[in-house]
Amino acid sequence: MSGPVRRRARLRALAKINLDLRVLGKRPDGFHELRTIFQTISLADTIDIAFTPGGKTAIEVEDNLGIPDNLAARAARLVLAAMRIAGRVEMRIDKRIPMGAGLGGGSSDAAAVLLALPVLAGREVDLPELCAMAEQLGSDVPFFLLGGRAVGIGRGSELFPLPDEPAPAGLLVVPGVHVSTPEAYRRLSARLTSESQQNKIFSFQSQTWRGGGRERACNDFEAVVFQQHSELAVLKKRLIGAGASVAMMTGSGSGVFALFRTREEAALALDSLGSLGKGKAYRISLVSRRRYRSLWWRALKEHTTEATWPPQSRYLR
Ligand code: C5P
């Protein structure tokens, strides 16, 4: 007699940058109304995940940083409850995406679990239901169900795909500086006026009409975060001086990315940065939605039937 089947997969959970980010005002629910353009990039965590059906749920997460209350574990619990099944989930996360840098690493890990577990468990979860669970886990989580380039409005969890643009070469610099997101929102909130809202909406809209990631892109958090950490403003200037077409902070910081027209320009700029002390620099490329989805199909191909989105399990009952 054979026991319950243990199914496993190796997932790549990509990081994101914000090609544009405007904060309009505080909402009655305490969150802020945003207009943003998300973009997946090549930097990624690796998640080895296994599911074994059973009478009781047990969720085990191991990661190289020892993160307390890992969002991936919460995602696993939530999606198992939604599927009304129990079992053992084993996860081993190799974290390469720096934390507290505005790169959405924890959110991406959580979304990866929401996409993969139904496939491994042989169940179907509707996309609207997945989106609701993702939003419950965090404002950035729903974007990682979509990938590529997308406009985020509301909390940043209401998403509309933008066409993928040819990927220029990029750099990402993560200085050894920690920025608290709630604190950055509080400081920014105190400066917001209703007059500036209207300008921001039109200015953001024109950025999206151009496809995002252009010279006039902006991140509202820079004004408050650069005030506290002037080294980030200096870094941005150096990247522009080194030939970047865009250099901007991502999310509420502290990561700063730069886009270049060619790989050679990006390589020269990287050399010109010299020593970053506690910081780290990465060569990155922008990952299109097409590529994002093909990475997913490849990761789950043993367990999926056809190229549908979200991925469907071949063990569907
Ligand atoms: O949704 P998430 O857990 O990522 O949000 C972290 C914190 O960032 C929230 O507690 C809130 O202070 C702030 N936030 C916000 N408005 C948003 C997203 C996040 O005020 N749209």
Side-chain angles (χ1 to χ4, degrees):
M1 212 177 77
S2 63
V5 186
R6 179 175 183 271
R7 297 195 182 114
R8 60 196 174 84
R10 169 165 287 187
L11 317 171
R12 264 163 55 83
L14 271 57
K16 61 85 178 159
I17 52 175
N18 297 84
L19 293 172
D20 201 300
L21 174 54
R22 326 258 172 153
V23 181
L24 301 185
K26 196 164 182 177
R27 312 177 348 160
D29 65 3
F31 286 93
H32 289 77
E33 182 69 22
L34 304 183
R35 297 288 182 273
T36 189
I37 302 177
F38 289 110
Q39 170 71 58
T40 34
I41 60 169
S42 48
L43 183 64
D45 291 340
T46 303
I47 308 179
D48 285 302
I49 184 167
F51 176 70
T52 317
K56 255 190 11 201
T57 288
I59 294 168
E60 298 155 29
V61 192
E62 216 187 290
D63 68 70
N64 51 324
L65 303 179
I67 303 163
D69 190 23
N70 199 310
L71 204 58
R74 281 165 50 198
R77 198 156 283 127
L78 205 59
V79 74
L80 285 186
M83 295 186 289
R84 295 193 177 76
I85 53 170
R88 180 170 180 212
V89 180
E90 297 156 87
M91 289 182 272
R92 157 108 199 92
I93 309 182
D94 182 18
K95 291 237 38 110
R96 299 202 50 230
I97 306 172
M99 295 197 300
L103 298 166
S107 301
S108 186
D109 295 348
V113 172
L114 293 183
L115 284 171
L117 260 187
V119 171
L120 298 178
R123 300 292 166 118
E124 191 175 1
V125 182
D126 276 357
L127 188 52
E129 202 181 346
L130 277 181
C131 290
M133 281 187 272
E135 188 189 60
Q136 197 182 324
L137 291 162
S139 307
D140 288 347
V141 182
F143 166 66
F144 292 101
L145 299 177
L146 178 63
R149 184 175 296 194
V151 167
I153 67 170
R155 272 174 65 185
S157 54
E158 200 180 329
L159 296 151
F160 300 91
L162 279 178
D164 287 317
E165 296 242 329
L171 288 184
L172 171 71
V173 184
V174 179
V177 166
H178 178 80
V179 177
S180 150
T181 300
E183 165 73 12
Y185 270 106
R186 265 195 300 278
R187 290 164 57 89
L188 180 55
S189 215
R191 304 175 161 209
L192 298 173
T193 64
S194 53
E195 194 194 342
S196 66
Q197 273 200 14
Q198 211 52 24
N199 294 337
K200 282 185 191 183
I201 288 171
F202 286 125
S203 159
F204 175 78
Q205 179 176 283
S206 67
Q207 270 299 111
T208 65
W209 288 10
R210 292 190 191 102
R214 297 296 157 84
E215 286 76 2
R216 267 181 267 167
C218 106
N219 178 342
D220 283 349
F221 281 109
E222 287 185 348
V224 289
V225 176
F226 286 3
Q227 215 173 40
Q228 278 201 309
H229 303 285
S230 56
E231 63 272 39
L232 299 187
V234 172
L235 175 61
K236 175 174 168 142
K237 274 206 188 110
R238 282 175 68 193
L239 287 163
I240 290 175
S245 54
V246 183
M248 206 166 75
M249 199 172 76
T250 174
S252 56
S254 60
V256 175
F257 67 87
L259 303 179
F260 297 85
R261 285 161 207 91
T262 63
R263 282 163 173 256
E264 291 70 31
E265 275 185 12
L268 283 172
L270 181 58
D271 286 345
S272 77
L273 287 178
S275 162
L276 292 165
K278 281 194 213 136
K280 216 170 158 187
Y282 304 81
R283 298 282 293 271
I284 56 163
S285 57
L286 308 188
V287 177
S288 69
R289 187 156 32 258
R290 207 176 147 159
R291 170 114 184 91
Y292 189 74
R293 292 187 174 187
S294 87
L295 283 171
W296 270 100
W297 289 318
R298 218 172 305 154
L300 293 170
K301 72 171 184 271
E302 204 187 322
H303 309 287
T304 45
T305 41
E306 50 188 315
T308 50
W309 195 263
Q312 297 291 308
S313 174
R314 71 162 68 217
Y315 317 114
L316 266 175
R317 276 163 284 139

